Amino acid sequence: TGKCYHTFRGHSAEIVCLSFNPQSTLLATGSMDTTAKLWDLEKGEEVATLSGHSAEIIALSFNTTGDRIITGSFDHTVAVWDVATGRLLHTLIGHRGEISSAQFNWDCSLIVTGSMDKTCMLWNAVTGTHIATLAGHRKEVLDVCFDYAGQRIATASADGSARVYNAETKQCIAKLEGHEDEISKVS
């Protein structure tokens, strides 16, 4: 129908990323104001403000069960949040550059992060511990994702290439080259 159901106001700066939870009951927004907010879609009200980053949030993603959300920031960290309480569970520290993207795998056991530091990192989603650093790109990693089985990780880079890694062995299994400029998204 094209009808606008709600207008969400509350951030003090631009919203740069957003995502629905898998149940389509919540909308998460990430902002240049260093916060993320969770919004109730039925009521049109703010449910929680996720505060803890010291720079803008430019990536966020729910896990497949909708009980966790991750936020990636220009402060070089990724935060793991409990959706029900809005509580910070883990801060993933290790990248030396701004976070460009972050995603859970399908069974919610792993998190992959991409960064302007030219690396991709793999994390235990339950404990927040670092598992591996996947290197090889010559320029910034602009996007990362898991395949649906959670067995492979794909990366897109400003160096004009994409790579595919085996999530178990952490080895690069494919280098996809041929674009003349940066690759901004991978799926």
Side-chain angles (χ1 to χ4, degrees):
T1 65
K3 177 185 174 193
C4 178
Y5 287 97
H6 303 290
T7 300
F8 300 108
R9 288 181 171 61
H11 284 290
S12 62
E14 301 96 289
I15 295 170
V16 293
C17 54
L18 50 81
S19 181
F20 288 101
N21 70 340
Q23 299 79 13
S24 294
T25 56
L26 295 174
L27 179 71
T29 54
S31 173
M32 299 289 279
D33 69 9
T34 76
T35 70
K37 291 184 181 287
L38 301 178
W39 307 89
D40 183 302
L41 290 172
E42 189 174 315
K43 296 177 184 175
E45 299 172 351
E46 182 181 322
V47 175
T49 297
L50 310 178
S51 299
H53 286 291
S54 62
E56 53 267 39
I57 294 172
I58 58 98
L60 51 75
S61 182
F62 284 96
N63 66 0
T64 55
T65 57
D67 65 337
R68 300 283 182 268
I69 188 170
I70 47 179
T71 54
S73 173
F74 272 18
D75 68 7
H76 305 188
T77 70
V78 173
V80 182
W81 308 87
D82 180 271
V83 171
T85 64
R87 188 171 62 92
L88 177 64
L89 300 174
H90 305 290
T91 301
L92 310 182
I93 299 171
H95 280 292
R96 292 173 287 125
E98 296 89 343
I99 304 300
S100 60
S101 58
Q103 188 184 63
F104 286 94
N105 68 341
W106 182 255
D107 72 4
C108 310
S109 63
L110 298 172
I111 295 169
V112 64
T113 57
S115 172
M116 300 299 181
D117 68 7
K118 306 176 191 171
T119 70
C120 169
M121 289 190 177
L122 193 60
W123 310 83
N124 180 306
V126 177
T127 64
T129 55
H130 177 260
I131 296 171
T133 299
L134 309 177
H137 284 293
R138 296 180 316 277
K139 292 185 178 178
E140 298 89 350
V141 173
L142 302 176
D143 196 26
V144 295
C145 71
F146 282 102
D147 69 350
Y148 285 104
Q151 297 172 345
R152 295 184 183 108
I153 297 163
T155 60
S157 174
D159 68 14
S161 74
R163 290 176 180 248
V164 180
Y165 296 86
N166 179 305
E168 187 176 333
T169 67
K170 322 313 183 271
Q171 297 302 309
C172 180
I173 56 175
K175 295 177 187 175
L176 310 175
E177 297 171 329
H179 285 283
E180 295 178 11
D181 209 339
E182 71 181 31
I183 302 173
S184 56
K185 293 289 177 189
V186 67
S187 178

